[in-house]
Amino acid sequence: MIPLCDLQIQYANHADELQRVVAEVMAAGHYILGPNVNALEEEIAEYLGCKHAIAVNSGTDALHLALRALNIGPGDEVITTPFTFVATTEAIGLVGATPVFVDIDPHTYNMDANAIERVVTSNTKAILPVHLYGQPCDMATIGQLADRYDLAVVEDCAQAFGAKYNGQSVGTLGTVGCLSFFPSKNLGCFGDGGMIVTNSDEVFERSEMLRRHGGKIKYHHSELGLNSRLDEIQAAILRVKLKHISEWNEARRRIAAAYTAALRGFPEIRCPSDLTESGKASTADVPLECVFHQYTVQVSQRADVQEHLTRDGIGSAVYYPIPLHLQAVHANLGYQKGAFPHAEFAADHCLSLPMFPELTNEQAGLVVDSLAQVLATPANQRIA
Ligand SMILES: *Cc1c(COP(=O)(O)O)cnc(C)c1O
């Protein structure tokens, strides 16, 4: 069995230390927004290279509170990608604003920055790029447009902790960055968790207040906030894991490079674009450091390929089968099938292969062998 993602190995490798820090929190008696949360905020701000970090309940809340902190609400438009997890547009909708989609770049799966300007209106307040699968968006173009039209940039970094664009960590390139610590994310805790990172004092102060019922001083509430606090146990776990994240992201890049080297010869498979042998990518002369939350290929006959992998005991997944402009929840936005052909094509053809830092070369080789076998079989003979 080769799972898509194995969370148990990582726990087993660090069980002693993880159990010790959790026991310490339990004995200390301070369970929510305490010393571990404060320390984690400082350590992550330092790791990513930004001024402030505010720990919250989830990545979804981080997006929601970041938009609230920027005073984005009813009547406002936020430009984003239709090829992402629903939490991205859920946050936009929850503050009462309207998501406006642009198609993706078919090579990177990220929003096509060159399509943004066409949909900017007088109601546009922000651009919300998602660094999908751990690959940074075209932040130079997005930053230029944000400057030209006076827009905020909210980066969804849920899949891209530690990814770099031109040497700078994603999340620190825009106005505010939103992180998720969902267990399967590159830096994951043992429950839900998230974080807002920013260099803006204003966003910091507002989101810090909003995460605990909209008040700076206990029992004084100036606006409606949320209960969106991170607890000490999750923060203590994340502090242990943060020490290893660089090494884990490096391992993901190594595995990605091995996959790409092995799969390059298959005409039926399209590997993640622009990868060099080192697993680092470069577009438009800007150095990128991807963190491969997923290693996602495109294949035709995806259902056959996936069934064959499953029969060989190999996990795989489709992120995401229905682009957001075609989801029932967004039917009111009025987008039709065909509106974003690249996103729709990706939704029909993408397939994510096993990817986690502890995946061995031997396991990656078995994944490649299984793919080679199914692709060598004529399509009409594939279903046994
Ligand atoms: C996981 C994810 C989120 C939401 O994070 P949670 O912590 O699960 O709320 C948002 N956006 C993207 C792209 C994600 O992958």
Side-chain angles (χ1 to χ4, degrees):
M1 251 319 277
I2 305 175
L4 182 70
C5 172
D6 188 331
L7 299 175
Q8 287 164 301
I9 306 184
Q10 197 168 85
Y11 171 66
N13 286 346
H14 301 277
D16 290 348
E17 192 178 4
L18 289 164
Q19 286 178 12
R20 180 173 55 75
V21 298
V22 169
E24 280 168 9
V25 171
M26 290 194 289
H30 190 153
Y31 303 125
I32 287 181
L33 292 187
N36 279 291
V37 171
N38 292 340
L40 177 71
E41 289 172 338
E42 275 176 31
E43 286 160 11
I44 287 191
E46 162 147 21
Y47 184 85
L48 297 180
C50 66
K51 201 164 163 193
H52 304 291
I54 306 102
V56 296
N57 242 333
S58 67
T60 308
D61 274 10
L63 289 160
H64 180 187
L65 291 179
L67 293 168
R68 281 280 312 272
L70 291 165
N71 292 311
I72 291 168
D76 295 337
E77 293 172 1
V78 178
I79 300 171
T80 191
T81 167
F83 195 54
T84 175
F85 182 55
V86 71
T88 311
T89 50
E90 195 173 30
I92 299 170
L94 282 174
V95 302
T98 305
V100 173
F101 297 118
V102 295
D103 206 354
I104 58 168
D105 174 332
H107 300 289
T108 64
Y109 304 105
N110 283 330
M111 73 192 298
D112 177 2
N114 296 313
I116 293 171
E117 196 163 18
R118 289 197 286 278
V119 297
V120 172
T121 72
S122 56
N123 295 323
T124 308
K125 289 287 149 47
I127 305 172
L128 204 169
V130 180
H131 307 293
L132 199 72
Y133 306 145
Q135 168 146 326
C137 293
D138 176 359
M139 294 307 288
T141 306
I142 290 169
Q144 282 159 14
L145 289 168
D147 287 347
R148 189 174 312 152
Y149 295 100
D150 193 21
L151 307 174
V153 176
V154 179
E155 297 178 72
D156 182 337
C157 308
Q159 301 188 5
F161 187 93
K164 288 186 178 167
Y165 177 89
N166 206 8
Q168 200 177 333
S169 298
V170 300
T172 69
L173 293 130
T175 320
V176 44
C178 301
L179 317 178
S180 165
F181 303 132
F182 183 78
S184 63
K185 302 292 161 86
N186 290 35
L187 179 65
C189 58
F190 295 162
D192 275 308
M195 192 171 272
I196 292 170
V197 293
T198 184
N199 286 313
S200 157
D201 295 341
E202 213 177 305
V203 169
F204 166 66
E205 277 176 30
R206 281 213 68 220
S207 49
E208 204 285 314
M209 190 173 83
L210 288 168
R211 78 170 163 184
R212 45 194 180 103
H213 304 296
K216 261 194 201 333
I217 306 165
K218 206 171 190 185
Y219 305 128
H220 291 65
H221 308 282
S222 51
E223 60 180 318
L224 292 179
L226 247 72
N227 170 2
S228 187
R229 303 168 303 212
L230 189 69
D231 67 66
E232 282 284 292
I233 287 182
Q234 301 306 340
I237 289 163
L238 287 164
R239 291 183 68 202
V240 171
K241 291 192 167 201
L242 182 64
K243 292 187 278 183
H244 303 283
I245 190 67
S246 296
E247 155 208 332
W248 290 337
N249 281 341
E250 196 56 49
R252 287 173 184 271
R253 278 193 286 273
R254 214 165 44 235
I255 296 158
Y259 271 143
T260 300
L263 294 174
R264 212 173 245 149
F266 295 89
E268 305 93 333
I269 289 196
R270 233 194 62 197
C271 296
S273 69
D274 301 324
L275 293 175
T276 62
E277 292 301 322
S278 71
K280 300 197 178 181
S282 173
T283 48
D285 295 330
V286 176
L288 302 180
E289 233 169 274
C290 305
V291 292
F292 294 97
H293 174 60
Q294 301 296 343
Y295 185 89
T296 303
V297 298
Q298 285 187 28
V299 281
S300 46
Q301 316 282 338
R302 179 178 65 190
D304 293 3
V305 172
Q306 198 170 13
E307 193 182 313
H308 182 89
L309 289 173
T310 305
R311 249 185 282 151
D312 280 353
I314 294 168
S316 64
V318 175
Y319 302 115
Y320 295 91
I322 306 172
L324 296 186
H325 67 287
L326 301 177
Q327 291 281 356
V329 65
H330 290 315
N332 63 322
L333 299 175
Y335 291 103
Q336 303 297 320
K337 198 163 168 60
F340 303 113
H342 294 311
E344 291 168 29
F345 188 89
D348 288 341
H349 295 88
C350 66
L351 187 66
S352 299
L353 304 179
M355 171 56 81
F356 48 94
E358 300 80 6
L359 188 81
T360 63
N361 283 340
E362 194 194 342
Q363 288 174 313
L366 292 171
V367 175
V368 170
D369 289 348
S370 178
L371 285 169
Q373 202 179 35
V374 62
L375 293 171
T377 315
N380 62 355
Q381 292 169 28
R382 270 182 209 157
I383 308 296

